Amino acid sequence: MGYVYFVRHGQTIWNVENKICGATDIALTELGHKQAIETGKKILEEGIKADEILYSPLIRAKDTALHISEITGIPAREELRLKEQNFGRFESTPRDGTEFKIAKGQFITRYDGGESMLHLAQRIYNLLDEVTAASDKTYILVAHNGISRVVQSYFYEMTNEEYAAFGVKNCAILKYEF
């Protein structure tokens, strides 16, 4: 039996400002770094053992993963497929904007220059297929809120509404068994 743990990156200034980060490379705040360090300590305290940490190439996820790796001793490597969805023209706009909420329900839409939910799901599902094929391994994926939705939908049935509404807090840890 294997496990996948999902960790969302620490806080960014755009999280504080309620802006969509998407594929824009936004750094952690001071609190975000502290959250990542605390998450590493929590992983140790809870006795979570993993073979590897895979992380998004965006600096907010990379820094979070490297803090966790340094504290836990779990090796970490960049995984390009964990990059957050590109929300095109919605990048840097309010997360709770009416137009964005409507657009999120359209899984084929590319957000005028971005990436569709279907394309995002394809790359994350392909990664998860590879990870779960090694059924005796445990991975920690450090990525983004948009990625958390796809991971959740890989392991659990979700309606479109549940998918669009799903989200996790900064540095939350989710556990999936396969």
Side-chain angles (χ1 to χ4, degrees), residues 101-120:
K101 283 184 179 179
I102 293 168
K104 261 179 38 175
Q106 306 301 313
F107 291 3
I108 296 174
T109 300
R110 292 186 190 202
Y111 307 109
D112 296 331
E115 177 183 27
S116 74
M117 295 275 186
L118 293 178
H119 284 107
L120 172 67

Side-chain angles (χ1 to χ4, degrees), residues 4 8-9 27 42 52 59 64 87-88 94 103 111 126 147 176:
V4 170
R8 183 180 176 201
H9 61 78
K42 184 176 180 181
E52 191 171 30
I59 193 71
T64 300
F87 292 106
Y111 307 109
N126 288 347
I147 304 301
Y176 301 95

Side-chain angles (χ1 to χ4, degrees), residues 6-12 15 21 35-36 39 60-61 64 68 84 95 141-146 148 167-174:
F6 180 88
V7 176
R8 183 180 176 201
H9 61 78
Q11 180 193 74
T12 70
N15 294 149
C21 296
Q35 290 171 326
T39 301
R60 59 193 185 268
T64 300
I68 293 169
E84 178 62 296
R95 295 182 64 80
L141 309 179
V142 179
H144 312 276
N145 202 36
S148 75
V168 296
K169 294 182 186 286
N170 293 108
C171 282
I173 302 171
L174 305 179

Side-chain angles (χ1 to χ4, degrees), residues 35 62 80 92 124 138-139 145 148:
Q35 290 171 326
K62 179 179 181 176
L80 296 176
S92 83
I124 300 302
T138 297
Y139 292 91
N145 202 36
S148 75

Side-chain angles (χ1 to χ4, degrees), residues 18-77:
N18 195 39
K19 291 181 181 179
I20 298 167
C21 296
T24 305
D25 211 4
I26 304 296
L28 295 175
T29 61
E30 185 177 327
L31 175 59
H33 285 284
K34 288 178 183 174
Q35 290 171 326
I37 291 165
E38 289 304 312
T39 301
K41 291 176 183 176
K42 184 176 180 181
I43 288 169
L44 276 181
E45 289 166 6
E46 292 184 6
I48 296 171
K49 306 283 187 216
D51 296 283
E52 191 171 30
I53 298 169
L54 304 177
Y55 61 86
S56 160
L58 296 176
I59 193 71
R60 59 193 185 268
K62 179 179 181 176
D63 284 351
T64 300
L66 294 180
H67 283 307
I68 293 169
S69 177
E70 182 178 311
I71 291 164
T72 63
I74 301 168
R77 74 176 159 93

